[in-house]
């Protein structure tokens, strides 16, 4: 779009606007109300609902303002008898076959058609004939469908195609019998549910929320999703202490994700009020005994005494403190403070899947925001699988390619689904991502790396040429496959390849919602990593205080080592592999029950807000840590307020200096933390390490030729997502049930159902 | 079933009567492909377009857009591939002219395609026909094979650098696919929905490339223009509409058939009453739909004694349109309410469902018509029907919404009595009769 300004007259008022601006946007910007259903910014134009009709001088008929781009001197009327008649006519048409079942419709109260009828509907219905009928049914375990309510704006089919690249739903039939349907009558997609979100009516329904509550009963709380590192903004709808749903509808929340969410963000919330949540503190009075419910005071007392004993006996270094990339910055900060100021141990870490410390220490270009990704010219994706692990990033990449003409380079050992959008796909041998980084950053090694990578030199040269030809932004993304030395080497890329018209941005792809936060706080920079701590449990390390649980990659199949500890304190939502060995378990509050912040992979620090009171006796993680500290005789002086914790955090952590909660209030203007862009350091040691590492790689690995199944990561029943019954159906391969007219959950029975067993076995 | 030319020499249909007229060796003796050779070897593409512009040839599909002008819109310097697409969807009720070109003289169409491709710089031509024309497509496919074998289709034709490939393809039975952009979607394998205009196909059509979409009959007229010159073609018809046009006449006439008439033929009454043999069984003319079901219906009073000229302008003056030239003649046994109901059911069935007014409007119209037919008519229903039509007309995504509204609007206006007798309840009618 050019920045040339032109004049447009709307209803007699003259406005200046950019040449090529869309008329409907300009009208709305200046408060000339133009209704529409099918227009949705950043999606392909549809122009089918015909409600945005306006009169443009010198044009024969009424024009749809969504399809018209402004030209200089254009004279537009948006309000006249003729236009009003047309709009009322369209609304009358839309209502003709729309059932008036608003009292039993999930969307009743927040339905765009209802609003439109309030504005443009007739007093009485002239349509007295029988309405067309189609039965309500399920399209998948997650998505219900009442075809009668459909007004065929096709937002759903467009988001499915353009955002998700899946094209799983499409219109079928013709004329008034057109219905939104699926191929084969069952949705085998990633179940993101964005079709539900963008639906203006109650045609597509959240099958987990269906008939559970009315929108006006819900208290909407804007918060940040707790599942992946993208940090989508969600609105949690709660009623009487229960989270009923999670949406990104733009009437409630306006974040980096727009109305986008993935299956986890949208449907993953039932864990919050799950009956398996820990209810009280638990104490195991003797090793091998049972966890017995206790009061908070007893549990604090017990934990404090035992911790003091261990520290006195073996020294402060024998205590390990483990934070979590899934809890708030405030909670992690309290743990860090506990480790450094109270216990005085250098052994602190966090249970992240992989460390980004070398990358952040050598950071040479800013982090890309999701907006930057959408507008990027070139995107290099090394390893990772964003469509499964960071779905918003995946969507932004797809749109950048599809709607923005970006070039996508994928370097991966697996032909991931995102490949269909790629301009260049380097299908490398498994576990040779490091070799690609070496080839890219050290030209002398490029030729020798080709054999290790298993690709042709021309392919690699084409990638280099694509980067060198980029005019604009080039975004480098990488997953957890890179070694520490490769991370450091990669940070050297901007110095080598940036130019006057080309700038580089980085977009790391960590796994968890606050992975970047734990790095920022320094929790990942302790002397022993979480994995090392498990490895030396009982030998040098005698007590551990863990927020959350260890991942399998930390335990390395040696969870019994945890039994060697004299004391294991765990704060958790649920009983897990780690709590099995715990001596004290504190019930922690979930993200929906606390105030705080998460830092996403853009480096944006975003608010988490309390939607419901902590369930049962659970408490916010930072409160538990502060409570334990108090029992040990140290007052953290947090004044029972998350904002006070954040204030202290912001004063002590350089990247967060100056930040306060009020600045983070508006989710539509997220704040990026100031990651320090380091001066180029001497990285020759790391380059040498990388060269040695690559030279030892064996190029004989077999390439993976099959594209992984949709949902192979998304549908895995984890600690949290396994509390959603539907997830088990998806994990079992999402079979199409014999009847789609009743909830697919009928396939799961409470007692030893065959299907459910299959589902769990499939994990 | 008559096929004849009236008021002019047979131009389009001159080879129709030959025995085995679909065979190349037969039509070669009568000059087939000579004009393609002439255009490709002796004329520049610009000169061909000039001749067509001079000829005042207008699109025979229904809209009547000047063909030469359409060709002129194709960007000459575009690096993209260019395409010629022949619209043989012919699904307008009452229209059956293109099928006789397929059936009797496929090589005429192919020759026209060659010349047109040469003029617009296309190397590929797609001939899109409605799926129901399967048996005709087989004829066309055979003709293409014959022409290819004889060196009229393929690489480096007539000893020049001009190459041209032709493909036939079929629709799946949708009226909307006669609309050029929906046709292109269907051709690309997508759902048959119309596309947004602009961009027009001449700029961005098939696969996003410059594309000319022309009706079968339009293209079939091109060889004659090359043979005799654009001016001669224009002289056959009127100043604004050149040449001859094929009219397919059906309904209550003695000799239904396909007639080739010069544009501006004088006049419609003579044509129906004399050339087509008049109304059989001694009945009287009641109404004529002159150009396919989508145009305004004409009552006999607008035809008899009115000297209606049969060309684009003449029929507009008389209150209707040439459309596709599918003329439906109705005698006084026809209940215009019933015939309009029938047409509306067609439009409802064929509405593609893309835009609100056409999808919901036609559905509603049919429901109202059915209710009236069931005897539940109300006097205010006439106004309701007109109002629904008004909300469709001019507000739909493509012109097919208008096409659904016009027949009803004109039928109610021109034949109010036929509607009134259904709308006024029986009891009331009896009461009126008793007065």
């Amino acid at each position: 779009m050019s920045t040339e300004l032109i004049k447009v007259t709307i209803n007699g008022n003259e406005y200046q606007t950019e040449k090529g601006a869309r008329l409907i946007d300009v009208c709305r910007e200046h408060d000339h109300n133009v209704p529409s259903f099918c227009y949705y910014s950043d999606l392909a134009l549809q122009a089918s609902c015909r409600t945005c009709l306006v009169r443009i001088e010198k044009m024969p008929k009424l024009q749809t303002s969504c399809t018209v781009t402004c030209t200089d001197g254009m004279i537009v009327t948006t309000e006249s008898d003729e236009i009003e008649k047309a709009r009322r006519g369209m609304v009358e048409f839309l209502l003709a076959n729309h059932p008036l079942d608003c009292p039993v419709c999930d969307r009743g109260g927040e339905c765009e058609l209802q609003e439109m009828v309030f504005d443009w509907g007739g007093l009485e219905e002239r349509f007295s004939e029988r309405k067309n009928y189609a039965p309500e049914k399920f399209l998948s375990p997650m998505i219900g469908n009442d075809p009668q309510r459909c007004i065929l704006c096709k937002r759903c089919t467009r988001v499915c195609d353009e955002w998700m690249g899946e094209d799983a739903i499409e219109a079928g039939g013709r004329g008034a019998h057109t219905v939104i349907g699926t191929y084969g009558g069952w949705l085998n997609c990633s179940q993101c549910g964005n079709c539900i979100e963008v639906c203006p009516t109650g045609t597509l329904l959240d099958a987990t929320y269906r008939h559970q509550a009315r929108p006006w009963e819900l208290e909407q709380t804007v918060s940040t999703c707790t599942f992946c590192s993208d940090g989508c903004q969600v609105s949690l709808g709660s009623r009487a202490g229960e989270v009923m749903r999670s949406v990104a509808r733009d009437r409630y929340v306006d974040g980096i994700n727009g109305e986008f969410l993935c299956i986890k963000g949208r449907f993953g919330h039932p864990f919050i009020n799950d009956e398996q949540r820990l209810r009280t503190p638990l104490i195991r009075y003797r090793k091998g005994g049972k966890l017995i419910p206790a009061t908070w005071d007893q549990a604090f007392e017990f934990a404090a005494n035992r911790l003091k004993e261990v520290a006195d006996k073996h020294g402060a270094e024998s205590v390990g403190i483990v934070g979590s990339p899934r809890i708030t910055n405030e909670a992690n900060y309290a743990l860090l403070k506990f480790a450094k100021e109270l216990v005085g141990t250098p052994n602190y870490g966090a249970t992240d899947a992989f460390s980004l410390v070398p990358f952040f220490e050598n950071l040479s270009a800013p982090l890309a925001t999701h907006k930057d990704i959408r507008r990027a010219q070139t995107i290099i994706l090394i390893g990772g699988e964003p469509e499964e692990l960071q779905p918003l990033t995946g969507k932004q990449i797809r749109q950048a390619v599809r709607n923005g003409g970006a070039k996508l380079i994928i370097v991966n050992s697996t032909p991931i689904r995102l490949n269909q959008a790629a301009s260049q796909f380097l299908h490398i041998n498994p576990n040779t991502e490091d070799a690609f980084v070496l080839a890219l950053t050290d030209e002398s090694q490029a030729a020798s790396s080709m054999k290790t990578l298993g690709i042709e030199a021309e392919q690699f040269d084409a990638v280099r040429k694509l980067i060198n030809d980029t005019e604009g932004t080039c975004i480098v993304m990488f997953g957890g496959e890179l070694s520490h030395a490769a991370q450091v080497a990669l940070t050297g890329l901007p110095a080598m390849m940036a130019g006057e018209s080309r700038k580089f941005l980085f977009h790391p792809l960590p796994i968890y919602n606050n992975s970047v936060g734990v790095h920022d706080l320094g929790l990942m920079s302790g002397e022993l990593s979480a994995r090392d701590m498990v490895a030396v449990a009982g030998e040098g390390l005698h007590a551990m205080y863990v927020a959350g649980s260890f991942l399998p990659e930390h335990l390395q199949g040696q969870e019994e080592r945890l039994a060697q500890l004299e004391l294991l304190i765990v704060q958790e939502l649920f009983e897990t592999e780690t709590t099995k060995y715990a001596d004290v378990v504190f019930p922690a509050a979930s993200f929906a029950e606390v105030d705080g912040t998460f830092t996403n992979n853009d480096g944006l620090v975003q608010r988490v807000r309390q939607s419901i009171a902590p369930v049962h006796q659970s408490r916010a993680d930072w409160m538990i840590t502060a409570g334990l500290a108090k029992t040990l005789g140290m007052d953290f002086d947090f004044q029972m307020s998350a904002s006070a914790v954040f204030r202290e955090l912001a004063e002590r952590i350089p990247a967060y200096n100056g930040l306060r909660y009020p600045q983070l209030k508006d989710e539509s203007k997220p704040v990026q933390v100031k990651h320090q862009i380091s001066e180029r350091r001497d990285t020759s040691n790391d380059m040498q390490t990388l060269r040695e590492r690559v030279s030892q790689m064996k190029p004989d690995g077999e390439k993976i030729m099959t594209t992984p199944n949709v949902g192979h990561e998304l549908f895995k029943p984890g600690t949290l997502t396994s509390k959603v019954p539907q997830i088990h159906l998806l994990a079992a391969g999402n079979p199409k049930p014999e009847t789609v007219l009743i909830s697919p959950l009928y396939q799961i029975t409470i007692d030893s159902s065959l299907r459910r067993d299959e589902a769990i076995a499939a994990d | 079933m008559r096929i004849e030319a009236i008021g002019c020499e047979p131009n389009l249909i001159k080879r129709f009567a030959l025995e085995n007229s679909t065979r190349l060796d037969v039509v070669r003796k009568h000059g087939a492909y000579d004009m393609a050779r002439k255009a490709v070897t002796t004329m520049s593409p610009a000169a061909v377009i000039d001749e067509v512009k001079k000829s005042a040839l207008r699109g025979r599909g229904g809209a009547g857009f000047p063909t030469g002008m359409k060709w002129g819109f194709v960007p000459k310097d575009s690096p993209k591939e260019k395409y010629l697409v022949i619209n043989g969807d012919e699904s307008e009720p009452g229209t059956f002219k293109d099928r006789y070109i397929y059936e009797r003289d496929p090589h005429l169409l192919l020759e026209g395609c060659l010349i047109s491709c040469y003029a617009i710089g296309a190397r590929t031509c797609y001939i899109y026909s409605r799926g129901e024309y399967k048996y005709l497509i087989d004829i066309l496919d055979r003709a293409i094979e014959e022409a290819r074998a004889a060196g009229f289709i393929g690489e480096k034709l007539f000893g020049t650098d001009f190459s041209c490939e032709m493909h036939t393809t079929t629709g799946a039975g949708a009226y909307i696919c006669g609309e050029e952009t929906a046709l292109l979607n269907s051709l690309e394998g997508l759902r048959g929905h119309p596309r947004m205009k602009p961009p027009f196909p001449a700029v961005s059509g098939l696969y996003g490339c410059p594309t000319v979409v022309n009706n079968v009959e339009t293209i079939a007229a091109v060889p004659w223009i090359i043979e005799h010159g654009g001016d001669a073609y224009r002289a056959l018809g009127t100043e604004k509409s050149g040449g001859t046009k094929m009219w397919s006449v059906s309904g209550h006439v003695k000799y239904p058939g396909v007639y080739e008439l010069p544009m501006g033929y004088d006049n419609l009454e003579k044509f129906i009453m004399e050339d087509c043999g008049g109304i059989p069984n001694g009945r009287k003319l009641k109404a004529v739909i002159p150009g396919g079901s989508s145009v305004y219906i004409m009552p006999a009073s607008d035809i008899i004694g009115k000297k209606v000229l049969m060309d684009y302008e003449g029929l507009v003056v008389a209150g209707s349109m040439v459309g596709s030239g599918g003329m439906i003649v109705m005698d006084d046994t026809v209940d215009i309410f019933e015939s309009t109901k029938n047409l509306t059911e067609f439009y409802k069935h064929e509405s593609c469902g893309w835009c609100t007014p056409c999808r919901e409007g036609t559905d509603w119209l049919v429901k109202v018509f059915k209710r009236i037919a069931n005897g539940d008519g109300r006097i205010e229903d006439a106004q309701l029907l007109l109002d629904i039509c008004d909300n469709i007309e001019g507000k739909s995504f493509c012109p097919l919404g208008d096409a659904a509204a016009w027949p009803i609007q004109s039928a109610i206006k021109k034949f109010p009595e036929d509607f009134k007798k259904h709308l006024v309840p029986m009891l009331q009618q009896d009461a009126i009769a008793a007065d």
Side-chain angles (χ1 to χ4, degrees), chain A residues 437-450:
Chain A
V437 174
L438 181 67
L440 200 60
T441 52
D442 184 351
E443 259 180 272
S444 68
Q445 302 289 312
S448 59
S449 298
M450 292 305 121

Side-chain angles (χ1 to χ4, degrees), chain A residues 192 194 197 232-234 246-248 257 259-262 265-266:
Chain A
C192 64
N194 287 313
E197 196 73 292
C232 291
Q233 296 297 292
V234 297
S246 157
V247 295
N257 48 315
E259 290 192 308
F260 173 92
L261 285 181
C262 71
R266 188 180 311 283

Side-chain angles (χ1 to χ4, degrees), chain A residues 39-336:
Chain A
Y39 177 66
Y40 195 97
S41 69
D42 221 12
L43 286 184
L45 291 175
Q46 180 85 358
S48 66
C49 76
R50 318 304 284 180
T51 52
C52 68
L53 292 168
V54 295
R55 170 64 68 186
I56 300 170
E57 262 180 40
K58 293 180 192 149
M59 292 214 187
K61 297 192 263 188
L62 294 178
Q63 300 291 319
T64 44
S65 54
C66 65
T67 59
V68 174
T69 49
C70 293
T71 53
D72 200 18
M74 188 177 261
I75 300 172
V76 184
T77 312
T78 69
E79 282 161 36
S80 72
D81 289 349
E82 170 200 36
I83 293 165
E84 178 166 349
K85 178 169 189 304
R87 282 192 193 144
R88 286 185 182 280
M90 293 313 128
V91 172
E92 189 178 29
F93 282 147
L94 288 173
L95 270 189
N97 276 314
H98 186 92
L100 301 182
D101 60 350
C102 306
V104 294
C105 175
D106 277 350
R107 270 296 161 93
E110 53 177 14
C111 166
E112 289 177 42
L113 183 60
Q114 272 184 334
E115 284 169 15
M116 192 77 101
V117 173
F118 264 82
D119 288 348
W120 303 99
L123 274 177
E124 37 181 278
E125 200 183 5
R126 291 194 295 177
F127 182 91
S128 58
E129 281 67 38
R130 187 183 279 267
K131 291 176 193 258
N132 295 338
Y133 169 76
E136 190 175 345
K137 61 183 188 294
F138 284 83
L139 300 180
S140 85
M142 297 302 184
I143 297 165
N145 174 222
D146 190 341
Q148 300 179 97
R149 296 180 185 148
C150 184
I151 57 169
L152 289 171
C153 66
K154 295 205 188 153
R155 288 186 199 171
C156 52
T157 65
R158 284 177 289 160
V159 296
C160 195
D161 182 14
E162 295 177 39
W163 287 4
M164 305 310 296
E166 297 189 4
D167 235 339
I169 49 175
E170 188 40 278
R174 193 165 72 184
H177 299 287
T178 310
V179 287
I180 297 300
T182 60
Y183 300 97
W186 197 242
L187 275 178
N188 284 305
C189 62
S190 70
Q191 313 287 337
C192 64
N194 287 313
C195 48
I196 306 171
E197 196 73 292
V198 298
C199 179
T201 69
T203 307
L204 292 162
L205 302 162
D206 178 339
T208 66
Y209 162 76
R210 191 169 153 265
H211 300 328
Q212 299 285 310
R214 310 312 312 272
W216 57 85
E217 300 172 329
L218 300 178
E219 197 176 320
Q220 301 290 341
T221 311
V222 174
S223 193
T224 304
C225 176
T226 187
F227 283 100
C228 84
S229 62
D230 277 330
C232 291
Q233 296 297 292
V234 297
S235 176
L236 298 176
S238 63
R239 181 182 68 181
E242 191 178 352
V243 175
M244 308 297 294
R245 68 171 189 188
S246 157
V247 295
R249 218 150 286 163
D250 59 8
R251 67 176 66 216
Y252 304 123
V253 49
D254 177 20
I256 53 167
N257 48 315
E259 290 192 308
F260 173 92
L261 285 181
C262 71
I263 174 173
K264 291 182 177 176
R266 188 180 311 283
F267 303 113
H269 59 81
F271 77 87
I272 297 166
N273 295 94
D274 192 85
E275 56 177 20
Q276 292 176 38
R277 279 285 295 274
L278 297 176
R279 289 160 193 253
T280 66
L282 303 166
I283 300 175
R284 198 187 308 273
Y285 288 97
R286 57 179 180 79
K287 291 276 173 195
K290 277 186 178 169
L291 282 171
I292 294 167
T295 66
W296 275 100
D297 287 346
Q298 284 171 331
F300 278 147
E301 204 66 38
F302 182 88
N305 288 340
R306 297 285 288 272
L307 195 63
K308 227 182 276 171
E309 272 171 34
V310 174
D312 289 348
K313 196 160 117 198
H314 303 286
E317 307 79 50
S318 68
V319 179
I321 310 290
V322 183
S324 165
R326 308 208 62 161
I327 59 178
T328 59
N329 285 319
E330 288 72 4
N332 280 321
Y333 176 74
L335 284 164
L336 188 68

Side-chain angles (χ1 to χ4, degrees), chain B residues 8-60:
Chain B
C8 60
E9 289 295 308
N11 300 324
L12 288 164
I13 63 169
K14 66 180 176 214
R15 299 197 294 245
F16 279 24
L18 297 175
E19 202 168 326
N20 296 323
S21 63
T22 61
R23 276 169 48 187
L24 181 62
D25 55 334
V26 174
V27 289
R28 274 296 283 151
K29 287 180 200 139
H30 294 82
Y33 294 103
D34 286 351
M35 290 311 118
R37 180 185 298 278
K38 176 182 170 189
V40 173
T41 54
T42 67
M43 296 169 78
S44 70
V48 176
I49 295 180
D50 261 0
E51 283 306 318
V52 173
K53 276 185 180 161
K54 268 193 261 173
S55 74
L57 172 64
R58 294 171 64 168
R60 303 293 193 230

